[in-house]
Amino acid sequence: MQTEVNSITLNYRDQGQGTPLLLVHAFPLSGTMWQPQIDVLSEQFRVIAPDLRGFGKSAVPPGPYAMEIFADDLAGLLDTLNIERVVLGGLSMGGYIAFAFWRKYATRVQALVLSDTRANADTEEGKAGRETNAQIAEAQGPGAIADQMLPKLLATNASPELQAQVRGIIERNSPQGIAGALRGMALRPDSTGLLPQISVPTLFLVGMEDTLTTPDVMREMQTAVPNSRLVEIPGAAHVASLENPAAFNTALSEFLRTL
Ligand code: MLT
């Protein structure tokens, strides 16, 4: 489905009924990554999974895409769908966007699901790396970014099918969209100070083999959020939702049933 939000076209999936769950995808993927959650969780909940601006079948306006801009797009999408409050779930960059959304639209958040993400901002070295990668994306295309990221996104023993699936999602994105998000992530503020202020139930999920946002980093974040719990997903690295959907979905649906 498609709608106009903040003067751009956003593509999104909207399936099921009940408590609305808005799932925000990782970099450099698209809403397609949430298909295993949509398939199962939409039997009990309303699952909404947009392609963020610059990704999937959404428009690719000029960047950089600050996390706040993505958050504004999500709020606009909820307005279009006449939804006041949601359970907001984000994986990695989706988590950075969830923090931006919380900063601006906390009253619209019923609960949070933060998966394989972190609260801190990029270091100076990290920011420089983002710019290098943005230029690589622009010069060489998404395939070069896929080569670089796949070993970090998935566990070392990920099946060739899963690797091909994730590569396909990345390669269907545009160089401009990837560069816009990279430059936007570099701009994001530190959200560590926000953690103790999160007043809604929060579920943390992390792949046990995640080397980008490790279980240690996630545990530290979780202890700072008052009403929270953490579930570690076995057999998964950074994109835990795709690598072990059964464990991810079980943890998520158990959490949703407690709300
Ligand atoms: C992601 O999975 O969204 C990225 O690893 C986030 C990042 O590059 O910081």
Side-chain angles (χ1 to χ4, degrees), residues 25-29 91-94 96 116 118 122 130 149 153 182 185 188 212-213 238-239:
H25 65 79
F27 171 86
L29 304 177
L91 192 142
S92 199
M93 181 178 76
Y96 310 160
D116 302 276
R118 60 196 152 97
D122 286 351
R130 300 275 192 208
M149 292 222 49
L153 295 177
L182 282 163
M185 284 191 284
R188 74 188 194 284
L212 285 177
T213 49
H238 192 59
V239 197

Side-chain angles (χ1 to χ4, degrees), residues 27-28 132-152 167 170-175 178 182:
F27 171 86
T132 305
N133 286 338
Q135 290 177 21
I136 289 175
E138 286 164 338
Q140 298 172 38
I145 300 298
D147 291 343
Q148 195 185 93
M149 292 222 49
L150 269 174
K152 300 182 200 158
R167 174 176 288 279
I170 297 173
E171 290 187 347
R172 284 194 294 279
N173 289 322
S174 70
I178 289 175
L182 282 163

